[in-house]
């Protein structure tokens, strides 16, 4: 199923490339864009299970490392938006809120079996950003578009640096080649895989609530 998800991504990326080609072609720009979907897939095959591979938990970078990189990016983004000198109180508040949020996430990973992802770091940093805005009052003094641009850059940066290594789900090594299955199949390791997978699309829905941009995944 993971492979099918990535296949869907690759197909959509190719569709996007074709869309660009159609847009710039005088004879194709008015035609409908080809996009192939597989709403349902049935797999029916005999397999043998050869080996089990354990899961690998994602490794977060240290809270201190992420925090240092985060503050460097924040100042750069504020400078790019020409509001660095007008946000000293906000910077101080964000420094404290981000440090606390990152320490809490790190502690949660250390003391529980919760599978943390870079998205959890991004959410924690985003919450710290919003708290710092409200405490400093910068959300009332500075145009929303500039603050949102800074927030977007900060979220994007922390997403790219949060993890030392990605998590991997548990898996199994199987044989599906007919000749090998016939040779090695036993009652203990052979099964017949019969599964139907249905595609359900999701899309990002964005709304602005109380001056804050919120994004969440919704069914198509």
């Amino acid at each position: 199923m993971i492979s099918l998800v990535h296949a869907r991504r690759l197909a959509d990326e190719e569709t996007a490339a074709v869309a660009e080609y159609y847009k710039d072609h005088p004879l194709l720009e008015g035609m409908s864009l080809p996009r192939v979907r597989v709403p349902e897939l049935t797999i029916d095959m005999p397999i043998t299970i050869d080996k089990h591979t354990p899961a690998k938990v994602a490794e977060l970078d240290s809270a201190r490392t992420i925090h240092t990189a985060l503050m460097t990016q924040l100042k750069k983004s504020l400078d790019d938006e020409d509001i660095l000198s007008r946000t000293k109180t906000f910077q101080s508040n964000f420094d404290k809120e981000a440090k606390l949020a990152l320490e809490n996430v790190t502690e949660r990973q250390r003391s529980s079996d919760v599978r943390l992802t870079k998205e959890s770091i991004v959410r924690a940093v985003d919450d710290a950003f919003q708290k710092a805005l409200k405490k400093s009052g910068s959300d009332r003094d500075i145009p929303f578009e500039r603050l949102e641009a800074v927030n977007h850059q900060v979220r994007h940066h922390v997403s790219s640096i949060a993890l030392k290594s990605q998590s991997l789900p548990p898996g199994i090594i199987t044989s599906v080649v007919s000749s090998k299955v016939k040779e090695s199949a036993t009652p203990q390791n052979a099964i017949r895989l019969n599964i139907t997978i249905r595609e359900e699309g999701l899309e990002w829905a964005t709304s602005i609530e109380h001056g804050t941009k919120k994004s969440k995944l919704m069914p198509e």
Side-chain angles (χ1 to χ4, degrees), residues 111-150:
S111 61
S112 70
D113 294 329
V114 176
R115 179 187 171 193
L116 295 177
T117 63
K118 63 182 179 182
E119 285 75 20
S120 62
I121 296 288
V122 173
R123 286 195 299 270
V125 169
D126 190 50
D127 289 343
F129 192 95
Q130 302 304 328
K131 289 178 181 178
L133 278 182
K134 288 181 171 57
K135 285 185 177 181
S136 64
S138 295
D139 55 338
R140 297 188 299 271
D141 303 331
I142 298 173
F144 170 77
E145 294 77 12
R146 293 192 179 188
L147 292 173
E148 181 58 26
V150 172

Side-chain angles (χ1 to χ4, degrees), residues 44-48 174-185 190 192:
D44 183 10
M45 69 173 76
I47 65 173
T48 56
T174 64
S175 297
V176 296
V177 179
S178 297
S179 58
K180 188 173 181 179
V181 170
K182 289 178 181 179
E183 292 173 1
S184 61
R192 189 170 192 90

Side-chain angles (χ1 to χ4, degrees), residues 179-198:
S179 58
K180 188 173 181 179
V181 170
K182 289 178 181 179
E183 292 173 1
S184 61
T186 68
Q188 288 74 36
N189 73 345
I191 62 171
R192 189 170 192 90
L193 180 64
N194 191 319
I195 183 172
T196 298
I197 301 170
R198 294 183 179 86

Side-chain angles (χ1 to χ4, degrees), residues 10-192:
L10 292 170
D12 284 342
E13 287 176 355
E14 190 63 28
T15 298
V18 173
E20 290 292 333
Y21 177 77
Y22 272 38
K23 183 181 68 174
D24 297 331
H25 196 292
L27 298 179
L28 296 175
E29 61 179 351
M31 296 185 181
S32 60
L33 186 67
R35 180 174 185 247
V36 178
R37 299 187 67 174
V38 183
E40 184 172 298
L41 174 67
T42 299
I43 300 171
D44 183 10
M45 69 173 76
I47 65 173
T48 56
I49 299 174
D50 302 331
K51 185 180 178 182
H52 170 262
T53 58
K56 179 183 177 183
V57 179
E59 184 182 0
L60 293 175
D61 212 330
S62 68
R64 182 176 180 180
T65 300
I66 298 174
H67 179 260
T68 300
L70 194 59
M71 295 308 299
T72 300
Q73 178 62 44
L74 176 72
K75 291 181 180 179
K76 180 181 181 304
S77 299
L78 291 171
D79 192 33
D80 290 343
E81 293 297 321
D82 199 25
I83 52 176
L84 181 63
S85 61
R86 299 164 55 188
T87 55
K88 291 184 178 179
T89 303
F90 164 69
Q91 292 174 50
S92 177
N93 286 331
F94 181 71
D95 190 345
K96 297 174 184 176
E97 294 291 343
K99 185 176 182 180
L100 179 61
L102 291 170
E103 288 175 351
N104 287 340
V105 170
T106 302
E107 179 59 29
R108 211 158 63 238
Q109 185 190 42
R110 186 184 301 116
S111 61
S112 70
D113 294 329
V114 176
R115 179 187 171 193
L116 295 177
T117 63
K118 63 182 179 182
E119 285 75 20
S120 62
I121 296 288
V122 173
R123 286 195 299 270
V125 169
D126 190 50
D127 289 343
F129 192 95
Q130 302 304 328
K131 289 178 181 178
L133 278 182
K134 288 181 171 57
K135 285 185 177 181
S136 64
S138 295
D139 55 338
R140 297 188 299 271
D141 303 331
I142 298 173
F144 170 77
E145 294 77 12
R146 293 192 179 188
L147 292 173
E148 181 58 26
V150 172
N151 194 11
H152 175 77
Q153 292 175 39
V154 168
R155 289 200 307 266
H156 179 76
H157 186 65
V158 75
S159 176
S160 67
I161 65 168
L163 298 183
K164 279 186 177 180
S165 62
Q166 297 283 349
S167 62
L168 293 174
I172 53 175
I173 306 300
T174 64
S175 297
V176 296
V177 179
S178 297
S179 58
K180 188 173 181 179
V181 170
K182 289 178 181 179
E183 292 173 1
S184 61
T186 68
Q188 288 74 36
N189 73 345
I191 62 171
R192 189 170 192 90

